[in-house]
Amino acid sequence: MAASTSHEPQDASLPLSPLSAPEKIRKSRKGSKEKGKSKEASGGQRKRSAAGKPSTATLNNHPVYEDDPPLDWISLTDAHPSQSSPIFTQDGSYYFILVGSSVKIFATSTGQLVSTLSVPSSTTGVSSEITSVVLNPLNIFQIITGSLDGTIRIWDYLDATLIRTLDIAQPIHHICTHDKHQDFVFVTVSRPSKPTKKLAEDASSVLRISLKAAAASAQSAAQKPSDITPLGKIRFPTGLAISPSGNWLVATAGHKAYVANLLIIKSGFTKYVSPDRINCLAFHPVEDYFATGDVKGNIRLWYCLHEPTNVKVAGLEKKTQTASFHWHAHAVSSLAFTSNGAYLLSGGEESVLVIWQLHSGKKEFVPRLGAPIQTISITKTLHAGEEYLLGLKDATFVFVSASTLRISRSYSRIKLCLYRIPAVPSDNSSSSKSVPLAVHPSSSTFIIPSSHPSSVQMFSFASSKIVSELEISPSNRVSRREEKSVEPSRVECTEISSSGDWMASIDTRVPPEDFQGEVYLKIWHWDQRTSLWTLNTRVDRPHGLHKILAMSFSPRPRPGQESYLVTTGGDGAVKTWRLRFDREKSQEGEGFWIARSSFSFRNEVPSHVSWSPDGSLLAVTFGTHVSLYDALTNIHRTTFTSPECPHAYMSHFVGRGRFLAVQGKQELVVWDIVSLTVRWSYTSAYPIYNVVPHPENDSFAIFTSAAPGRSRIHSFSPSSSKPSKTTYLPFTLLNAVWYSSKPTSSLSLAGVTQDWRFVLVGDDVKALEEEGTLATGIKSRSLPQRRTLFQDIFGKSIFDQPPASDFSAATLQQKAGPDDHTVFDVPAHLSAPVESLFDPLMMGFLKLRPAEQQHFPMEEGREDDDVVMEVDTSEPVTSSRLTKIEDKEIESLVAVFQTYSLQTAHSHPKTPKTNGIRKVNGVHLKPSPTPSKVPQSTKSKPPRQVDVVNVVSPPSPEPTPSPMLNGTGKKRKKALDYF
């Protein structure tokens, strides 16, 4: 079985407007040249390193990369989810999601990623993004995918195997199939031969592709279809669907719906005009009509399939009567009918699922889903109900129960940021770059931006999952009004104290006209019991109407040392905040944060502040100079200024606090604090936009913008002005922190890129070993079956227990014989029918019963009324103990049964029942005489002498309690454990 590894998908979503294929190919080739060499890795990401230096990339006549080696990096953020709706397996146990060039398979009940099918790496530079996926009508255990590289691939998702690749050499955007056309698929493709007609009528086309390969290319890796039939030319497609009867094919593009009769393929398309541009398409599951959603929020039902077309004119456009629904204020992004066809689901930018009742026009809502809806899918549940799977724009998948219209569960990895802000500031005035990023050591999580700018999410590196999401600034997540977006609150910065107990955040809101802005400083406390952040203190406008420019917690080199928080603002003030305890409200003391002190220097605006490792000094950057202050008394100690750095943007203590690294626009100056002299200076050929000191040793790293979207990283030590290491990355980091899962002296960082991906950068980074990120068979991953009523009452059968560890699969195969198990070495689609395998396979596992074993059925009419079976409270006998019973033991037990039960029954067939029978050591004693009428035909016989048979019974795990008496005083007879 050929396995394909997981790759990080490219961030190339389906465009909203037409784009010719040559432009896509040129862009993708250009991107591949810039991307360069990459390293594959598991964990749903690609471990990359930029390629060898390009010779043409320059900036100010300087070579971009020179001889710098690449730096490895891993992206933990998936690309934007595909606009193609997820599909479910026939039993609904798994669903398939398209992410870039991969198909991810998730378990429906748990949301666990179980397997990933990835397209092999392309050497042509053309994007291999998968745009559509359908189930194979010939085999429900196979899927068919279409890609932008012009290939149709058939996968066996049970074995995680790529079966066949068909190349049509045209980018594929949509694909659909039907049971009536099992050997064909219908696709929409772009026409790469006409790059100048992006909006032309023939920019794209619809084709019928045969799934059979041509004989001439049968032996090649990428085969050619045996038949390609064009159905017609269309604009850039937005949807493709086939009717439930299989007789009609509908494609949507621009303002038109293209209808083709599949019974008469040569007739071509009939065009129906819509008042607004169509955005999505869905066919009714029972009847022959379809629904469309347009960019103005209108939903239309089209009943035009059976209209007579007496005159066939090329290019004729028609109008028809439609039924319309309207609630959405913006474009309808997805439509789906329920399985019975009674309801229609719609969703869009409003983050509200609308359920339309078709016969009455009434509607119901599922609001506040958290992000705009992008796709809608419907699946059956185990209880014969339905669930709606909503794919949100931030890569979250939400299940909604059809019966309650409530969210039952949701799954997400890292939510994608939907409200992006400009990239790295041009003036390098802020070290935070308005992007929240921090490491919480107590919970081993990263605090990174979430899908909404007013929230942050906690990502666990160990589990590769989102642990929680914190809404820093509560806000109404409403859709935009008309074409202007509503400006939300934004979290600009987060800082974690050295103890991990406190987190400070800054959130702001840009005011509209004639309003003042909002700035909030919030301090959160970490609750060890609930593992959540709780708001402790909120300070409104801590620096007046000005923004907060920098923020930093004091280090705590000694346990019990008081923590401080220092902030700098646009008002020129440097404020220190401390923790105060109010012992009147609580005996243990309830702490909250208050302002401790404030100072300023002339009219200078401090742009950055940092603490010395021992917490005794503050380095405040004022632009033209850097000043040192005593942290406790705010007394000015000294000022550093030099002609090598005319304007400073930030400063950091390095070398365990002895040296101070000052960053300018392109300059870096290292001061010796003890001797108050410049240790060395360095001038970069490119602008410096960040400095990150190592938390454990003397080294630090600087980031330079070598080119738009490119970075060079230099590693320095305070002892030398020559970089100890210089590397480059194919992106720019908006913010970066030093992080490593283990103590290391090498370069190891975590950051957020200019396109808002969360990445790990460093020499020893490795991908997350997350389950399901590789192509893995899911045969053994069947979901647990529901317990039956019988199992609820009597428990699970002992014969359903898994076999012992020494009874391996190899033993089973050896017992079954070599001819029985070799048939499983081939893929499922090539194996023989199950009917021909069942008998030989089962006969290999089973053994015939020996002839000497006989059964002793109870005599007809023999019902032991006075001897009732006793309930045995001992532990049930396991299957392993049954295999240890010898024939001698069985024979001895049979003899006992015959002696005390069968023979006694023949001797006294009609003896009247008498209470008070005593049983000593298994021997019935004669009761005291009682008056009774005995039939004349019955003769009294002396009691028979019985030889005692010594039976060695298997040990019991616990003593058996004394038998219980029934209602007439009779005792239950103890059953033999082996019968």
Side-chain angles (χ1 to χ4, degrees), residues 892 895-896 899-900 903 921-923 944-951:
S892 62
V896 173
T899 301
Y900 295 103
Q903 294 182 6
N921 294 333
V923 180
R944 181 181 177 181
Q945 299 294 330
V946 180
D947 299 332
V948 178
V949 181
N950 294 327
V951 180

PDB file of all heavy atoms in Angstrom, residues 892 895-896 899-900 903 921-923 944-951:
ATOM      1  N   SER A 892     -16.521 -37.184  34.396  1.00  0.00           N
ATOM      2  CA  SER A 892     -16.884 -37.314  35.803  1.00  0.00           C
ATOM      3  C   SER A 892     -18.118 -36.498  36.143  1.00  0.00           C
ATOM      4  O   SER A 892     -18.991 -36.932  36.894  1.00  0.00           O
ATOM      5  CB  SER A 892     -15.716 -36.897  36.683  1.00  0.00           C
ATOM      6  OG  SER A 892     -15.391 -35.544  36.462  1.00  0.00           O
ATOM      7  N   ALA A 895     -21.165 -38.246  34.804  1.00  0.00           N
ATOM      8  CA  ALA A 895     -21.533 -39.375  35.658  1.00  0.00           C
ATOM      9  C   ALA A 895     -22.286 -38.907  36.897  1.00  0.00           C
ATOM     10  O   ALA A 895     -23.260 -39.526  37.332  1.00  0.00           O
ATOM     11  CB  ALA A 895     -20.271 -40.149  36.046  1.00  0.00           C
ATOM     12  N   VAL A 896     -21.827 -37.834  37.498  1.00  0.00           N
ATOM     13  CA  VAL A 896     -22.518 -37.293  38.666  1.00  0.00           C
ATOM     14  C   VAL A 896     -23.933 -36.866  38.308  1.00  0.00           C
ATOM     15  O   VAL A 896     -24.896 -37.107  39.038  1.00  0.00           O
ATOM     16  CB  VAL A 896     -21.712 -36.129  39.268  1.00  0.00           C
ATOM     17  CG1 VAL A 896     -22.500 -35.448  40.363  1.00  0.00           C
ATOM     18  CG2 VAL A 896     -20.387 -36.633  39.798  1.00  0.00           C
ATOM     19  N   THR A 899     -26.083 -39.863  37.852  1.00  0.00           N
ATOM     20  CA  THR A 899     -26.314 -40.587  39.105  1.00  0.00           C
ATOM     21  C   THR A 899     -27.369 -39.911  39.959  1.00  0.00           C
ATOM     22  O   THR A 899     -28.308 -40.538  40.465  1.00  0.00           O
ATOM     23  CB  THR A 899     -25.001 -40.717  39.881  1.00  0.00           C
ATOM     24  OG1 THR A 899     -24.069 -41.412  39.079  1.00  0.00           O
ATOM     25  CG2 THR A 899     -25.224 -41.468  41.185  1.00  0.00           C
ATOM     26  N   TYR A 900     -27.244 -38.604  40.131  1.00  0.00           N
ATOM     27  CA  TYR A 900     -28.093 -37.901  41.095  1.00  0.00           C
ATOM     28  C   TYR A 900     -29.336 -37.265  40.498  1.00  0.00           C
ATOM     29  O   TYR A 900     -30.193 -36.794  41.220  1.00  0.00           O
ATOM     30  CB  TYR A 900     -27.279 -36.828  41.807  1.00  0.00           C
ATOM     31  CG  TYR A 900     -26.177 -37.401  42.668  1.00  0.00           C
ATOM     32  CD1 TYR A 900     -24.861 -37.377  42.238  1.00  0.00           C
ATOM     33  CD2 TYR A 900     -26.487 -37.992  43.886  1.00  0.00           C
ATOM     34  CE1 TYR A 900     -23.853 -37.904  43.021  1.00  0.00           C
ATOM     35  CE2 TYR A 900     -25.478 -38.526  44.670  1.00  0.00           C
ATOM     36  CZ  TYR A 900     -24.165 -38.476  44.245  1.00  0.00           C
ATOM     37  OH  TYR A 900     -23.167 -39.003  45.014  1.00  0.00           O
ATOM     38  N   GLN A 903     -31.065 -40.905  37.158  1.00  0.00           N
ATOM     39  CA  GLN A 903     -31.476 -42.176  37.741  1.00  0.00           C
ATOM     40  C   GLN A 903     -32.507 -41.967  38.841  1.00  0.00           C
ATOM     41  O   GLN A 903     -33.415 -42.750  39.027  1.00  0.00           O
ATOM     42  CB  GLN A 903     -30.255 -42.917  38.287  1.00  0.00           C
ATOM     43  CG  GLN A 903     -29.288 -43.338  37.179  1.00  0.00           C
ATOM     44  CD  GLN A 903     -28.101 -44.112  37.720  1.00  0.00           C
ATOM     45  OE1 GLN A 903     -28.057 -44.419  38.917  1.00  0.00           O
ATOM     46  NE2 GLN A 903     -27.164 -44.437  36.841  1.00  0.00           N
ATOM     47  N   ASN A 921     -23.889 -32.826  51.716  1.00  0.00           N
ATOM     48  CA  ASN A 921     -22.791 -33.213  50.817  1.00  0.00           C
ATOM     49  C   ASN A 921     -23.301 -33.827  49.528  1.00  0.00           C
ATOM     50  O   ASN A 921     -22.761 -34.816  49.015  1.00  0.00           O
ATOM     51  CB  ASN A 921     -21.840 -34.199  51.505  1.00  0.00           C
ATOM     52  CG  ASN A 921     -21.107 -33.554  52.657  1.00  0.00           C
ATOM     53  OD1 ASN A 921     -20.916 -32.328  52.640  1.00  0.00           O
ATOM     54  ND2 ASN A 921     -20.728 -34.329  53.648  1.00  0.00           N
ATOM     55  N   GLY A 922     -24.399 -33.309  49.032  1.00  0.00           N
ATOM     56  CA  GLY A 922     -24.910 -33.766  47.746  1.00  0.00           C
ATOM     57  C   GLY A 922     -25.696 -35.041  47.800  1.00  0.00           C
ATOM     58  O   GLY A 922     -26.075 -35.593  46.770  1.00  0.00           O
ATOM     59  N   VAL A 923     -25.977 -35.665  49.029  1.00  0.00           N
ATOM     60  CA  VAL A 923     -26.717 -36.929  49.161  1.00  0.00           C
ATOM     61  C   VAL A 923     -28.071 -36.618  49.755  1.00  0.00           C
ATOM     62  O   VAL A 923     -28.161 -35.960  50.799  1.00  0.00           O
ATOM     63  CB  VAL A 923     -25.945 -37.933  50.021  1.00  0.00           C
ATOM     64  CG1 VAL A 923     -26.743 -39.235  50.141  1.00  0.00           C
ATOM     65  CG2 VAL A 923     -24.575 -38.186  49.423  1.00  0.00           C
ATOM     66  N   ARG A 944     -31.202 -46.545  47.855  1.00  0.00           N
ATOM     67  CA  ARG A 944     -30.039 -47.073  47.105  1.00  0.00           C
ATOM     68  C   ARG A 944     -28.749 -46.524  47.674  1.00  0.00           C
ATOM     69  O   ARG A 944     -28.631 -45.344  47.961  1.00  0.00           O
ATOM     70  CB  ARG A 944     -30.184 -46.672  45.638  1.00  0.00           C
ATOM     71  CG  ARG A 944     -29.053 -47.176  44.774  1.00  0.00           C
ATOM     72  CD  ARG A 944     -29.275 -46.702  43.350  1.00  0.00           C
ATOM     73  NE  ARG A 944     -28.172 -47.098  42.493  1.00  0.00           N
ATOM     74  CZ  ARG A 944     -28.101 -46.793  41.191  1.00  0.00           C
ATOM     75  NH1 ARG A 944     -29.079 -46.115  40.651  1.00  0.00           N
ATOM     76  NH2 ARG A 944     -27.079 -47.185  40.486  1.00  0.00           N
ATOM     77  N   GLN A 945     -27.795 -47.449  47.814  1.00  0.00           N
ATOM     78  CA  GLN A 945     -26.465 -47.033  48.273  1.00  0.00           C
ATOM     79  C   GLN A 945     -25.718 -46.412  47.096  1.00  0.00           C
ATOM     80  O   GLN A 945     -25.588 -47.029  46.032  1.00  0.00           O
ATOM     81  CB  GLN A 945     -25.679 -48.235  48.820  1.00  0.00           C
ATOM     82  CG  GLN A 945     -26.343 -48.901  50.003  1.00  0.00           C
ATOM     83  CD  GLN A 945     -26.383 -47.967  51.204  1.00  0.00           C
ATOM     84  OE1 GLN A 945     -25.517 -47.121  51.368  1.00  0.00           O
ATOM     85  NE2 GLN A 945     -27.393 -48.122  52.057  1.00  0.00           N
ATOM     86  N   VAL A 946     -25.231 -45.229  47.316  1.00  0.00           N
ATOM     87  CA  VAL A 946     -24.571 -44.491  46.244  1.00  0.00           C
ATOM     88  C   VAL A 946     -23.095 -44.368  46.566  1.00  0.00           C
ATOM     89  O   VAL A 946     -22.723 -44.009  47.687  1.00  0.00           O
ATOM     90  CB  VAL A 946     -25.178 -43.071  46.086  1.00  0.00           C
ATOM     91  CG1 VAL A 946     -24.484 -42.334  44.968  1.00  0.00           C
ATOM     92  CG2 VAL A 946     -26.674 -43.187  45.811  1.00  0.00           C
ATOM     93  N   ASP A 947     -22.296 -44.725  45.583  1.00  0.00           N
ATOM     94  CA  ASP A 947     -20.857 -44.538  45.741  1.00  0.00           C
ATOM     95  C   ASP A 947     -20.521 -43.079  45.551  1.00  0.00           C
ATOM     96  O   ASP A 947     -20.948 -42.445  44.589  1.00  0.00           O
ATOM     97  CB  ASP A 947     -20.079 -45.387  44.729  1.00  0.00           C
ATOM     98  CG  ASP A 947     -20.351 -46.875  44.921  1.00  0.00           C
ATOM     99  OD1 ASP A 947     -20.664 -47.247  46.067  1.00  0.00           O
ATOM    100  OD2 ASP A 947     -20.293 -47.617  43.914  1.00  0.00           O
ATOM    101  N   VAL A 948     -19.736 -42.574  46.470  1.00  0.00           N
ATOM    102  CA  VAL A 948     -19.342 -41.164  46.403  1.00  0.00           C
ATOM    103  C   VAL A 948     -18.271 -40.991  45.347  1.00  0.00           C
ATOM    104  O   VAL A 948     -17.265 -41.699  45.350  1.00  0.00           O
ATOM    105  CB  VAL A 948     -18.838 -40.657  47.770  1.00  0.00           C
ATOM    106  CG1 VAL A 948     -18.398 -39.218  47.663  1.00  0.00           C
ATOM    107  CG2 VAL A 948     -19.942 -40.823  48.796  1.00  0.00           C
ATOM    108  N   VAL A 949     -18.482 -40.063  44.437  1.00  0.00           N
ATOM    109  CA  VAL A 949     -17.517 -39.782  43.371  1.00  0.00           C
ATOM    110  C   VAL A 949     -16.790 -38.491  43.727  1.00  0.00           C
ATOM    111  O   VAL A 949     -17.407 -37.454  43.945  1.00  0.00           O
ATOM    112  CB  VAL A 949     -18.227 -39.623  42.010  1.00  0.00           C
ATOM    113  CG1 VAL A 949     -17.201 -39.348  40.937  1.00  0.00           C
ATOM    114  CG2 VAL A 949     -19.024 -40.883  41.698  1.00  0.00           C
ATOM    115  N   ASN A 950     -15.480 -38.576  43.782  1.00  0.00           N
ATOM    116  CA  ASN A 950     -14.673 -37.396  44.096  1.00  0.00           C
ATOM    117  C   ASN A 950     -14.509 -36.563  42.831  1.00  0.00           C
ATOM    118  O   ASN A 950     -13.874 -37.007  41.866  1.00  0.00           O
ATOM    119  CB  ASN A 950     -13.309 -37.805  44.643  1.00  0.00           C
ATOM    120  CG  ASN A 950     -13.434 -38.501  45.988  1.00  0.00           C
ATOM    121  OD1 ASN A 950     -14.331 -38.175  46.772  1.00  0.00           O
ATOM    122  ND2 ASN A 950     -12.568 -39.468  46.245  1.00  0.00           N
ATOM    123  N   VAL A 951     -15.060 -35.384  42.840  1.00  0.00           N
ATOM    124  CA  VAL A 951     -14.977 -34.477  41.699  1.00  0.00           C
ATOM    125  C   VAL A 951     -14.102 -33.286  42.078  1.00  0.00           C
ATOM    126  O   VAL A 951     -14.350 -32.624  43.083  1.00  0.00           O
ATOM    127  CB  VAL A 951     -16.377 -33.967  41.285  1.00  0.00           C
ATOM    128  CG1 VAL A 951     -16.260 -33.027  40.109  1.00  0.00           C
ATOM    129  CG2 VAL A 951     -17.288 -35.148  40.952  1.00  0.00           C
TER     130      VAL A 951
END
